[in-house]
Amino acid sequence: MAVSDDDASGAVVFKRRTVIVDGPDPIDRHVGGQLRLRRAQVGMTQTELGAKVGLSFQAVQKYETGENRISASRLYQLARFLDVSMGYFFDGLDATGNPEEDAGSSDLTRKEASMVLGAYYGIKDPRLRSACLLIMARMAERSDEEA
Amino acid sequence: MAAQAPLCIAPATAPATPEVVCTGGDGCSYLRELSAIERIAGFDHSARRYAAAAARCREQGCRAGAARAPSAATVASAEAVPMRGIGGARKLGGERNVGHADNPVPFVRAAFIDILSDSEGNFVERRQLKPQSLPVKGDALGYLYRYWADLRGAGALHVSSIDTVHLARAGVIGSMHIVDVSSDDPNDFRFDLFGYAVPISRPERPRAYPVRIYADTTLRDYNTVRLTGVPQLHRIYCRLGDTKHHYTRLILPFLDQRDRVTRLCVAIRQERGNSVKIEPGQ
């Protein structure tokens, strides 16, 4: 992926992204991460997967870190061996190619919300409940102001 | 396309125990440990996914519960393993053992041991063994050692080369520590990961083990592996406070990008008589 930058005149200049200077491309890292997850799910080692597609385990490892890009034909092969659709490798990327909100954190947020609700309705006295609500609302307002 | 497999990697060596209830207080310990290993190896994407799955996991048949206690089969096979002692250690009476490096030593009766004790009744008995003598099949530590040797043969002893599928197959997730030894001072070594199934309360650093002689010997062994880059295998029998421990420990070095040993993978196999409480007065 190319990265853009503005030069002195304000014109957008595209430069080629390199792994050494810029690190792995986030999309390549995401695809590699998905590959690693799926490989682990089916219980296949890097060596075993490499043997299936004619690669060394180091090459598989470089795909997983995003250090090496996976070609379209190789991705197709990997999808076949791992029994997933091609789209699986891009799951969790938004339209701009950035990883969407982390599934883990959204799960935790949901868990927290359900705990708060449980605790709130655990308070039997309605006056205490509304006092709690008021405190929470004030705290939220205050953190908005601080932000 | 087939339905997706569950995220939890079941160790192939562990027996199926569907009735085991998840024992993780705030999620699956097994998946949380997988997540920690992935994070240490530098795979943040899979680390986050495992952490998310761990937070969700409330199902029965959890691997964390299965790995908490060693299976009877593991203990039995450990007893029958003929291992080779390292030459040069001292006998109990202080006499030097010379030229016995290649002789198989029946493990339980081996006389070549290092013993340290303190005034409070604690003792640490260590027998150094050859990692090469670990059995190739049916042994978690043997599998792990061979995996490490394969990585070394391929010149890929970096932390990022750790493949959790191999760890799961070995059945060492939960009984494995990862120690950060990047400091030159052994007192600053710290646990990046402390196996959830190891029955010792988790300290932040090896130096913080409550029994000094135990901390000293542990740090000495860690530092030896850090400095030499050579794996070490010990059978350890010790008394720490009111508990006796008996286990086999394999220490494997891993490198950073500058090829310095900065991490140790320490795998434990609990042996018969591990975690035995001692009655007062004994």
Side-chain angles (χ1 to χ4, degrees), chain B residues 4-252:
Chain B
Q4 283 198 10
L7 200 54
C8 191
I9 307 169
T13 50
T17 50
E19 73 284 358
V20 177
V21 178
C22 178
T23 50
D26 53 344
C28 175
S29 308
Y30 185 89
L31 284 170
R32 270 194 286 128
E33 191 135 328
L34 267 181
S35 170
I37 296 167
E38 289 287 85
R39 184 177 42 74
I40 293 165
F43 295 94
D44 289 340
H45 179 81
S46 39
R48 284 196 303 270
R49 292 289 301 271
Y50 286 131
R56 276 199 304 267
C57 179
R58 286 286 182 276
E59 295 167 13
Q60 294 200 336
C62 174
R63 308 309 314 178
R68 190 162 287 273
S71 67
T74 311
V75 175
S77 67
E79 194 182 34
V81 173
M83 291 180 173
R84 294 177 183 211
I86 296 287
R90 288 180 189 280
K91 284 184 180 179
L92 265 175
E95 185 187 335
R96 193 86 183 161
N97 166 43
V98 183
H100 292 282
D102 294 329
N103 296 336
V105 177
F107 194 77
V108 184
R109 296 181 193 130
F112 315 117
I113 52 177
D114 287 335
I115 301 178
L116 280 173
S117 58
D118 65 16
S119 57
E120 289 162 12
N122 300 306
F123 66 85
V124 180
E125 221 180 272
R126 289 155 59 252
R127 304 164 195 244
Q128 195 177 351
L129 304 160
K130 283 188 172 181
Q132 297 90 328
S133 67
L134 284 164
V136 179
K137 287 186 178 174
D139 182 76
L141 300 187
Y143 183 97
L144 194 63
Y145 176 71
R146 256 106 206 151
Y147 170 56
W148 179 89
D150 285 349
L151 286 179
R152 182 181 57 180
L157 267 189
H158 299 103
V159 183
S160 56
S161 301
I162 294 176
D163 184 351
T164 45
V165 174
H166 278 293
L167 302 182
R169 282 188 187 176
V172 293
I173 292 174
S175 59
M176 191 184 86
H177 311 318
I178 295 179
V179 190
D180 181 339
V181 292
S182 50
S183 170
D184 288 335
D185 181 2
N187 291 317
D188 290 337
F189 293 171
R190 62 183 174 80
F191 289 109
D192 276 347
L193 174 79
F194 196 91
Y196 64 85
V198 176
I200 297 178
S201 57
R202 183 206 160 116
E204 194 183 329
R205 296 165 192 269
R207 170 48 71 204
Y209 279 127
V211 177
R212 191 177 175 83
I213 50 169
Y214 184 73
D216 288 345
T217 53
T218 304
L219 285 173
R220 195 169 69 200
D221 294 338
Y222 288 176
N223 201 31
T224 304
V225 176
R226 180 183 79 90
L227 293 171
T228 61
V230 177
Q232 287 209 352
L233 177 70
H234 292 97
R235 180 74 61 92
I236 294 170
Y237 181 59
C238 59
R239 174 179 173 160
L240 308 176
D242 63 349
T243 312
K244 279 187 179 171
H245 300 275
H246 188 202
Y247 61 92
T248 306
R249 181 191 62 194
L250 176 66
I251 310 174
L252 300 170

Side-chain angles (χ1 to χ4, degrees), chain A residues 30 33-34 36-41 43-46 48 57-58 61 64-65 83-84 88 102 104 107-108, chain B residues 1-2 4-7 9 38 43 45-46 48-50 52 55-56 151 154 156 160-163 165-166 169:
Chain A
H30 181 87
Q34 289 288 93
R36 186 173 176 88
L37 263 180
R38 181 60 189 164
R39 179 180 61 75
Q41 280 177 342
M44 205 182 262
T45 64
Q46 288 169 337
E48 288 162 355
F57 82 87
Q58 287 105 323
Q61 192 190 316
E64 290 180 352
T65 55
D83 201 15
V84 286
Y88 167 83
D102 180 22
D107 278 340
L108 289 173
Chain B
M1 296 289 177
Q4 283 198 10
L7 200 54
I9 307 169
E38 289 287 85
F43 295 94
H45 179 81
S46 39
R48 284 196 303 270
R49 292 289 301 271
Y50 286 131
R56 276 199 304 267
L151 286 179
S160 56
S161 301
I162 294 176
D163 184 351
V165 174
H166 278 293
R169 282 188 187 176

